[in-house]
C-alpha cells in the first residue's frame, strides 16, 4: 500500500462490557472531519463508487458486517476487505474506488475532510487516468 491509501488500525477500548472505539480528528483520523455519511441496506450484488476525488480525503470504516473496496491509483489496483470496526481505510485524492460484496448487515461509515461537492468528483475513468499522469 502507498501513502495515498492505507489501513489504519484503531485501538479497541474493550473490557468485559464490550468494545469502544474513539475517532478523533488529527489524531487517529489524519485530517479535520467535516462530514460523516454511511451506506447501508445495500441490494445484493451491487457495486458503488466508480469515482475519484480531486481533493477530498476520506476514511472508510465498516462498523458492521463487511465489504470490499477496490482501490486504483491509475497504475495498480488493490482489493481491501473491510470486516472489522477497528479497521479504517484512508483514501486520499486521485484514487479510483469501487465498493462491492456488501454483507446484508454492512454499515459502511465514511469520514470526509470536506462537505459534499459534486465538482470534486471525477466520475469518468479515462478522465481519472489522464488526471493521475
Ligand atoms: P453516490 O456518489 O452515487 O454514492 P457512491 O459513491 O456510494 O456510489 O451518491 C448517491 C447520492 O447521494 C448522489 O445523488 C449524491 C448524494 N450524496 C450527497 O448528497 N451527500 C454526500 O455526502 C454523498 C456521499 C452523496
Amino acid at each position: 500500500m502507498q501513502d495515498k491509501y492505507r489501513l489504519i488500525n484503531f485501538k479497541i477500548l474493550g473490557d468485559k462490557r464490550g468494545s469502544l472505539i474513539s475517532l478523533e480528528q488529527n489524531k487517529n483520523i489524519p485530517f479535520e472531519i467535516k462530514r460523516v455519511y454511511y451506506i447501508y441496506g445495500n441490494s445484493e450484488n451491487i457495486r458503488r463508487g466508480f469515482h475519484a476525488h480531486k481533493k477530498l480525503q476520506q476514511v472508510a470504516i465498516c462498523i458492521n458486517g463487511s465489504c470490499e473496496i477496490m482501490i486504483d491509483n491509475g497504475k495498480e489496483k488493490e482489493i481491501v476487505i473491510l470486516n472489522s470496526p477497528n479497521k479504517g481505510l484512508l483514501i486520499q485524492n486521485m484514487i479510483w474506488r469501487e465498493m462491492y460484496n456488501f454483507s446484508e448487515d454492512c454499515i459502511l461509515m465514511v469520514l470526509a475532510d470536506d462537505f459534499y461537492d459534486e465538482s470534486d468528483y471525477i466520475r469518468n475513468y479515462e478522465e481519472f487516468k489522464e488526471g493521475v499522469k
Side-chain angles (χ1 to χ4, degrees):
M1 280 207 199
Q2 309 179 347
D3 292 352
K4 289 242 166 194
Y5 51 92
R6 66 181 158 86
L7 271 176
I8 305 172
N9 282 305
F10 303 120
K11 189 177 174 200
I12 303 173
L13 304 164
D15 56 33
K16 59 183 180 223
R17 296 171 300 169
S19 304
L20 185 153
I21 288 172
S22 171
L23 306 173
E24 296 180 295
Q25 69 178 13
N26 294 330
K27 290 191 174 175
N28 56 356
I29 300 299
F31 51 72
E32 285 187 13
I33 302 162
K34 271 201 181 166
R35 174 166 54 113
V36 178
Y37 62 92
Y38 33 95
I39 294 167
Y40 63 99
N42 296 285
S43 307
E44 233 175 292
N45 298 324
I46 55 104
R47 258 179 122 90
R48 309 189 58 124
F50 298 96
H51 65 257
H53 285 281
K54 293 174 193 164
K55 290 197 185 136
L56 193 73
Q57 303 187 72
Q58 299 184 290
V59 172
I61 307 160
C62 202
I63 56 171
N64 198 55
S66 63
C67 69
E68 291 180 44
I69 304 186
M70 192 280 290
I71 36 191
D72 178 350
N73 63 8
K75 293 188 195 102
E76 294 166 325
K77 295 177 184 185
E78 198 165 332
I79 290 168
V80 177
I81 300 173
L82 290 180
N83 56 7
S84 168
N86 78 325
K87 277 201 283 185
L89 178 64
L90 170 69
I91 309 174
Q92 292 185 319
N93 67 325
M94 295 310 281
I95 295 288
W96 188 265
R97 85 287 314 270
E98 294 173 22
M99 294 90 85
Y100 56 99
N101 266 354
F102 293 94
S103 63
E104 216 181 293
D105 58 352
C106 176
I107 303 173
L108 182 64
M109 183 176 78
V110 184
L111 313 179
D113 73 348
D114 211 345
F115 301 120
Y116 173 72
D117 174 9
E118 189 57 39
S119 70
D120 186 65
Y121 280 68
I122 302 173
R123 294 192 185 270
N124 178 293
Y125 190 71
E126 293 312 313
E127 194 187 318
F128 161 70
K129 290 276 274 190
E130 280 300 310
V132 285
K133 260 186 198 167

